[in-house]
């Protein structure tokens, strides 16, 4: 049986004025895969994330997830098919506590509306209690329960990154896109993060699209690599093959 | 972070005691107001409370959703004119008009919000300033029967008087000279109570968290499934609805509405109250309303004892002093009065939240050691603060009856510390009996409890005395 690609990026081009951020990019991802997307600064990695999560409109091309065309959806609809992401520079909500941040993570799959909330109807109260328990469990999984009721501001950067991860996990995502999860972390934190990502993938049946500069980590956990340079794909495939590709070495790993 | 006076686990018996003490204090404050204040001061209080509701409406949009909308005076006006017209022209009761006003406000919110919320920041501010600026002229339009309904430039009076029915005559103050205004005070208090409860529930659940998420990071909110335009418009419409309710309360309180009441000056007052109270806090809205009215009042009177008068009877320095207070607040309490209150609260009490297992997320005992004497000392200071403030308030009343309202208000805020002192001291004595405190705390704690009880008794006697004097 041939595996059908879960995420299919076809011929995506993004232009900002005269600048081509992504140039005819295509690749596919299988379910359950950890795919490392690498490339020098400005190669278009985050631009791709923003296209998939519908913050940017592509100039041409399409993104298909499990047979559905994501480019036809608006930003808030992407979570309905199970696509979630974290942000390179964090997109937490500092005015709320950590656990509330994680609770908003499952906004898509919860139902309470203005009326049921204002009147605290039984349906809303049971959903809220359940949501709080699941948020606690997600925090517990990432060892964050100590800060559950602290404001999501003023905590160490590494902690905030993990809170973002917990916020994405609570919604039972199918595809999770991690934008430089290791930036700002110490060496030992990076190693444990790599292990965490693998464990979470296995436990939650995730498919992980990983953008990361930290080469040791990317090469350590990725099952497939896509290498970008100036918006173009220069290599695609098994990490051990790709890392020895002369063009990749030239562009990114340094030609020494 | 310094260790607070007490650390309690959420929902523990001790925590409940503190919560009940808070509610008791609030109840006492509400009950005393119509007893202690003069009739014209109750009227001012009513106006302050009405403004509080309008500020709450502004806060929903500006403080909780991060949208700079400044035109809520228009929503108040809509609510006020709908009420005046329905009560005067159609002979409806006020309570029957409430759903109409809420629905009209909501629809106006959707109509204005849908296009306006497509722009942000200063652009939204500009659009909503236009809304506030144009409203007072709209009520004068002589087409479609609008001027007939609104009374046009003459304004619209409501001849039906709001007085307490027989079965509510037991409420404090509603009989005698202050009857009307004190009864309206109670109606407004009940309406605010219900509004606050509903708004708090709304903000502390799924739709409210979505509103806050938009304020804190729009891109993040969208990625997590928050439909930005729908949530923003819904929140704006709810806010407009509450603004209109404030208009209804305005009409109920004054019995007269005119276009000149709902100009951009009112919108500015709402913004001042919002900032001084505390942007993005529910309590801040209420405090902000009280502050705008009472401090404005105080500044008007402050230079009169110096022999300085203007033709309209206000002190000539009023605006300057008010402006100075605003500047001082911007520098020293940018988070508003609520942020100051929270600083004090953080010194008094820390509530440790519970994990789903029911255990506090941090051990309570670890906060305990080494604080024995400090706590008893603090309790004693608190217990002294109560009676001292009471005495100052009493003195002030006899020196200049014009500022009675302000001081009566102030000392009642501070007298809270007397019952608090009793609570703390009793706790300490109990801990001492269990062998958890050294003998050295026994003396101060006993004194603190005695003084605290005296302070509390003082308030009761004072209230009783006023009650007898007035009736």
């Amino acid at each position: 049986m041939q595996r059908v690609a879960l995420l299919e990026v076809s011929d995506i081009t993004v232009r900002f004025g005269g600048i081509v951020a992504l140039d005819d990019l295509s690749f596919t991802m299988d379910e359950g895969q950890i795919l490392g997307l690498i490339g020098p600064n400005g190669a278009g990695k985050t631009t791709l994330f923003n296209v998939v999560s519908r913050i940017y409109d592509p100039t041409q091309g399409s993104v298909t997830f499990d047979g559905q065309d994501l480019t036809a959806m608006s930003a808030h609809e992407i979570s309905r098919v199970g696509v979630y992401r974290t942000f390179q520079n964090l997109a937490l909500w500092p005015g709320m506590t950590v656990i509330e941040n994680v609770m908003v993570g499952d906004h898509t799959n919860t139902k309470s509306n203005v009326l049921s909330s204002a009147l605290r109807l039984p349906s809303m109260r049971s959903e809220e209690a359940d949501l709080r328990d699941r948020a606690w469990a997600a925090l517990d999984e990432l060892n964050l329960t100590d800060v559950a009721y602290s404001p999501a501001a003023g905590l160490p950067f590494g902690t905030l990154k993990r809170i973002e991860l917990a916020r994405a996990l609570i919604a039972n995502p199918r595809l999770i896109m991690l934008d430089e999860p290791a930036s700002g972390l110490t060496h030992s934190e990076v190693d444990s993060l790599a292990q965490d990502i693998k464990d979470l993938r296995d436990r939650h049946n995730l498919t992980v699209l990983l953008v990361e500069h930290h080469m040791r980590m990317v090469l350590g956990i990725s099952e497939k690599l896509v290498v970008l340079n100036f918006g173009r794909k220069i290599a695609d495939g098994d990490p051990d093959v790709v890392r020895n590709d002369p063009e990749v070495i030239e562009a990114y790993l340094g030609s020494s | 972070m310094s260790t607070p006076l007490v650390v309690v686990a959420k929902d523990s018996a001790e925590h409940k005691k503190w919560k009940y003490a808070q509610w008791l204090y609030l109840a006492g404050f509400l009950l005393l107001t119509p007893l202690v204040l003069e009739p014209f001061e109750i009227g001012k209080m009513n106006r302050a409370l009405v403004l509080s509701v309008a500020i709450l409406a502004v806060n929903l949009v500006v403080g909780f959703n991060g949208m700079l909308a400044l035109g809520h005076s228009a929503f108040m006006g809509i609510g006020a004119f709908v009420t005046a017209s329905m009560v005067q022209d159609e002979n409806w009761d006020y309570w029957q008009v409430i759903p109409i006003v809420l629905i009209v406000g909501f629809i106006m919110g959707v109509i204005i919000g849908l296009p306006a919320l497509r722009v942000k920041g200063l652009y939204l501010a500009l659009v909503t300033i236009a809304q506030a600026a144009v409203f007072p002229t709209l009520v004068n339009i002589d087409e479609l029967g609008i001027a007939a309904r609104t009374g046009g430039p003459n304004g619209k009076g409501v001849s039906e008087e709001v007085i307490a029915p027989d079965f509510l005559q037991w409420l404090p103050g509603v009989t005698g000279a202050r009857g009307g205004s004190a009864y309206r005070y109670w109606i407004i208090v009940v309406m605010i109570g219900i509004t606050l409860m509903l708004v708090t529930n709304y903000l502390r659940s799924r739709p409210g968290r979505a509103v806050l998420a938009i304020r804190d990071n729009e891109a993040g909110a969208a990625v997590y499934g928050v439909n930005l335009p729908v949530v923003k418009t819904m929140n704006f419409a709810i806010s407009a609805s509450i603004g209109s309710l404030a208009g209804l309360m305005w009409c109920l309180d004054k019995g007269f509405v005119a276009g000149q009441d709902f100009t951009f000056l009112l919108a500015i007052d709402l913004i001042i109250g919002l900032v001084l109270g505390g942007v993005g806090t529910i309590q801040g809205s209420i405090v902000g309303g009280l502050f705008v009215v009472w401090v404005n009042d105080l500044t008007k009177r402050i230079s009169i004892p110096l022999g300085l008068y203007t033709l309209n009877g206000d002190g000539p320095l009023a605006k300057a002093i008010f402006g100075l207070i605003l500047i001082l607040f911007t520098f020293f309490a940018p988070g508003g009065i609520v942020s100051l209150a929270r600083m004090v609260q953080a010194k008094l009490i820390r509530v440790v939240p519970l994990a789903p297992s029911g255990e506090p997320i941090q051990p309570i005992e670890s906060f305990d050691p080494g604080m024995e004497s400090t706590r008893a000392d603090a309790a004693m200071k608190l217990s002294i603060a109560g009676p001292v403030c009471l005495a100052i308030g009493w003195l002030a009343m006899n020196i200049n009856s014009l500022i009675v309202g302000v001081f009566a208000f102030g000392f009642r805020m501070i007298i809270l510390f007397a019952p608090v002192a009793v609570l703390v001291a009793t706790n300490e004595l109990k801990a001492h009996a269990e062998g958890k405190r050294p003998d050295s705390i026994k003396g101060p704690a006993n004194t603190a409890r005695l003084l605290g009880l005296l302070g509390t008794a003082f308030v009761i006697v004072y209230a009783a005395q006023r009650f007898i004097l007035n009736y």
Side-chain angles (χ1 to χ4, degrees), chain B residues 94-333:
Chain B
Y94 279 104
W95 62 268
Q96 291 170 316
V97 187
I98 293 176
I100 307 288
V101 160
L102 290 176
I103 291 167
V104 169
F106 192 90
I107 293 170
M108 290 309 293
V110 172
I111 291 172
I112 295 174
L114 266 181
L117 296 174
R118 299 176 72 91
V119 294
K120 273 193 281 191
L122 288 175
Y123 301 97
L124 176 60
L126 204 66
V127 171
T128 47
I129 284 173
Q131 171 201 348
V134 80
F135 179 80
T137 60
L138 290 184
V139 304
N140 295 341
I141 294 177
D142 206 6
E143 305 288 331
L144 306 167
I146 291 178
R149 286 267 174 187
T150 62
N154 301 322
K156 183 125 188 153
V158 178
S159 47
E160 184 195 324
E161 213 185 331
V162 186
I163 45 168
D166 289 345
F167 69 96
L168 287 175
Q169 296 281 342
W170 54 272
L171 282 169
V174 301
T175 51
R178 60 194 65 193
S181 51
Y183 177 58
R184 292 193 292 275
Y185 163 85
W186 282 114
I187 295 178
I188 291 170
V189 164
V190 169
M191 284 174 77
I192 288 183
I194 295 171
T195 310
L196 282 183
M197 200 177 70
L198 295 177
V199 170
T200 309
N201 289 344
Y202 160 61
L203 286 171
R204 288 196 185 153
S205 53
R206 177 178 178 267
R209 287 191 293 263
V211 168
L212 263 71
I214 290 176
R215 173 193 69 183
D216 285 356
N217 192 313
E218 274 199 12
V223 164
Y224 283 87
V226 177
N227 189 338
L228 303 181
V230 167
V231 173
K232 281 182 197 171
T233 309
M234 184 65 158
N235 184 62
F236 190 78
I238 292 170
S239 160
S241 201
I242 295 171
S244 302
L245 183 69
L248 177 140
M249 292 157 79
W250 175 294
C251 176
L252 174 106
D253 178 46
K254 292 181 73 168
F256 179 81
V257 288
Q260 302 93 289
D261 289 338
F262 304 100
T263 62
F264 192 62
L265 290 177
L266 177 64
I268 290 176
D269 267 355
L270 300 183
I271 296 295
I272 293 174
L274 173 71
V275 175
L276 289 182
V279 181
T281 65
I282 294 170
Q283 308 95 312
S285 316
I286 306 302
V287 177
L290 297 176
F291 194 94
V292 164
V293 168
W294 286 107
V295 173
N296 246 321
D297 192 53
L298 177 67
T299 55
K300 278 180 187 164
R301 296 169 194 289
I302 211 159
S303 47
I304 292 175
L306 304 173
L308 300 165
Y309 292 92
T310 53
L311 286 177
N312 63 5
D314 294 348
L317 299 175
K319 290 275 181 287
I321 295 171
F322 194 70
L324 185 68
I325 291 173
L326 293 191
I327 292 167
L328 288 177
F329 258 92
T330 323
F331 276 104
F332 296 109

Side-chain angles (χ1 to χ4, degrees), chain A residues 207-245:
Chain A
T207 305
V208 182
L209 177 56
L210 175 70
V211 162
E212 187 49 72
H213 273 305
H214 201 282
M215 287 312 294
R216 189 160 52 94
M217 175 179 162
V218 177
L219 294 173
I221 65 171
S222 297
E223 286 142 8
K224 179 175 178 180
L225 272 187
V226 172
V227 188
L228 298 183
N229 196 18
F230 296 113
R232 303 177 60 121
K233 184 170 83 174
I234 55 171
D236 175 352
D238 187 81
D240 292 326
V241 179
V242 170
R243 69 193 296 185
N244 295 318
D245 185 305

